[in-house]
Amino acid sequence: MPSHLSADRPAAQPPGRGPVDTLISQTRRLKGDVNAVRREAQSDGSDPQDRWQRALYDLALHQLNDLDEHLAQLRDGPPPPTAEPAATEPPAAPRRGSLLSRVGSAEWNLLTDEASWSSELYEILGRDPAAPPLTLDELPSLVLDADRPKLTAMVTDCLVDAQRIDGEFQIVRPDGEVRTVHMMGEPVLDTDGSTASMWAVLRDVSELRRSQQAVSETRDSLQRHRHRAQTEHRLAVELQEAVLPPWRGTLRLPHQGPRSLDLAARYLPSSTSALVGGDWYDALELPGGETLLSVGDLTGHGVTVTSGMAMLLGALRGMAMAGTRPGQLMAWLNQLLDTTVQPALGSAVCCRYRPETRTLVWAQAGHPAPLLFRNGTGRRLNTPDGVLLGATSGATYGEAEETLEAGDLIVLHTDGLAPGREESPGTAAVHRLLDLAPRFAEAHTAQDCVRTVVEEFGESEREDDACVLIARVTS
């Protein structure tokens, strides 16, 4: 720095150590806390939300590291001047990664056209310390073409209008590495008020900007992921609403005849997932006055699963209308699912009710058996053989038959009603449903029974969607 300028600038003195030491201690404590939380939050990176959080942790640590080192410099004051190295002794490079290797200073004298750089600035810009510092006219040669107008405007405003410099630009080091430099400077005025020189501090902020870019990219990725998830959820809901029976409240099937079924059903969404599952319920009047009852669950969530559920339910309805018995119907559904492009597993139960004899014929594929409630008690029906749909090719399915009485209640459900603890979710749901027998006995309609189920299970922390279909045999 020229002598006539340095004489006007008093030597910097470190501030009181006490307050700064306190800030340093608080900063390092906070760094430790953030780093500990960051380690606990490590994941495989597949979840956009996890990537977003990890990027923010990295950015926070970069900011805290810089703050820690800036405070240390503030406490210790400027480094002491070092003697010029001997001609045969290479200059010592600042420690890579330290704050000193990322903050340098410079002064350009407009009166003598001389420039003075600190050794740290040579390190930042990748220049040979033995080379003369670049003048203000030469400095833009290091800068990327796109950023040169920005640097020129900042320097011009400082020299002509005595404005402070505060901006950043990208430079290309001789080894081809691109770095981002933040420059803060101010004019030094002569006695007549004209600008005599420009003084600046230049800081390498490449790592910080990379962290900020990572945060921005993960934020954009998260927003796109959320938009896709919202779109998929909307499509799945619309598809589900289009496929499931449109009736609400009480339904009587068959529509004609004294021995009908009083029917009610409810779809209960998962309380822990925003995605729609593959659960269904269905009741359909068949030719000849019989009634089809079915519930099922295709594993997974989202549009693909919901569309697969729609395919199965459509096939089930078509085959049932053609007179297919429940056991053969399950076998053909298994074959259909086994040959689909998207492999999946499903469970289902299918019942045909004959009102003339009050007979229920049913088959199941890896699904909870229907529950029969009579005179204030409940039991599980004996389960015929049947593996999960899509589990094995050529599977056969048995059938069971039950004679019902007036006032009997048949409850069909999927296994997501209740969370499993010591028991599996399906077993836990069955036990809780059987405990509702006294309340079912007091109910007047199937819809009242469904309300009872919703009161019991509606607020549960279910990890999966669920359906319940209740049929009450009228007199």
Side-chain angles (χ1 to χ4, degrees), residues 149-408:
K150 183 193 305 183
L151 174 63
T152 300
M154 288 192 300
V155 170
T156 300
D157 290 342
C158 179
L159 299 181
V160 176
D161 299 326
Q163 295 183 13
R164 290 177 55 85
I165 289 178
D166 188 353
E168 59 186 57
F169 45 86
Q170 289 186 300
I171 63 158
V172 182
R173 292 162 53 101
D175 59 6
E177 183 181 8
V178 176
R179 307 291 292 180
T180 302
V181 175
H182 182 213
M183 184 175 184
M184 296 184 65
E186 59 184 21
V188 179
L189 303 181
D190 207 348
T191 54
D192 60 358
S194 61
T195 302
S197 66
M198 190 184 81
W199 180 83
V201 171
L202 293 91
R203 177 185 175 213
D204 186 343
V205 294
S206 304
E207 285 78 11
L208 186 59
R209 295 298 173 257
R210 274 197 286 268
S211 292
Q212 291 173 330
Q213 179 66 24
V215 169
S216 176
E217 290 174 354
T218 53
R219 182 184 61 240
D220 293 342
S221 174
L222 182 59
Q223 289 174 344
R224 289 193 299 271
H225 177 81
R226 286 173 175 167
H227 178 71
R228 287 196 301 269
Q230 291 168 353
T231 301
E232 180 175 334
H233 180 267
R234 185 177 65 254
L235 291 174
V237 169
E238 291 174 354
L239 179 58
Q240 182 190 62
E241 291 177 346
V243 171
L244 292 183
W247 47 271
R248 297 293 184 268
T250 298
L251 177 70
R252 287 185 176 270
L253 292 178
H255 296 294
Q256 302 296 327
R259 294 184 173 183
S260 61
L261 293 178
D262 173 25
L263 298 164
R266 182 70 66 88
Y267 173 83
L268 299 172
S270 167
S271 56
T272 60
S273 173
L275 296 178
V276 177
D279 293 62
W280 83 81
Y281 64 87
D282 197 23
L284 181 68
E285 183 174 351
L286 302 175
E290 294 186 356
T291 298
L292 171 74
L293 305 176
S294 72
V295 297
D297 178 13
L298 195 63
T299 57
H301 295 84
V303 171
T304 301
V305 172
T306 309
S307 61
M309 177 269 287
M311 175 194 68
L312 286 181
L313 185 52
L316 187 152
R317 288 170 173 169
M319 289 186 290
M321 290 292 288
T324 306
R325 291 180 59 87
Q328 183 61 59
L329 195 152
M330 290 288 104
W332 284 347
L333 285 183
N334 176 70
Q335 184 177 347
L336 176 63
L337 195 57
D338 186 53
T339 57
T340 56
V341 176
Q342 294 288 343
L345 292 174
S347 70
V349 61
C350 177
C351 310
R352 288 180 74 106
Y353 176 69
R354 299 171 186 153
E356 301 86 2
T357 60
R358 291 199 180 111
T359 303
L360 188 76
V361 180
W362 67 285
Q364 63 83 32
H367 199 87
L371 304 180
L372 171 60
F373 293 85
R374 178 180 294 167
N375 300 325
T377 61
R379 65 180 175 87
R380 248 185 306 206
L381 298 185
N382 294 328
T383 306
D385 293 335
V387 298
L388 286 170
L389 300 175
T392 181
S393 299
T396 58
Y397 295 83
E399 290 183 352
E401 186 171 314
E402 189 76 24
T403 300
L404 304 180
E405 299 177 2
D408 282 354

Side-chain angles (χ1 to χ4, degrees), residues 369-374 376-381 409 411 413 417 426-441 453 456-457:
L371 304 180
L372 171 60
F373 293 85
R374 178 180 294 167
T377 61
R379 65 180 175 87
R380 248 185 306 206
L381 298 185
L409 204 70
V411 177
H413 67 94
L417 271 179
T427 303
V430 167
H431 288 172
R432 289 172 63 180
L433 284 169
L434 291 175
D435 289 340
L436 297 177
R439 296 174 63 184
F440 286 159
V453 173
E456 175 68 19
F457 295 97

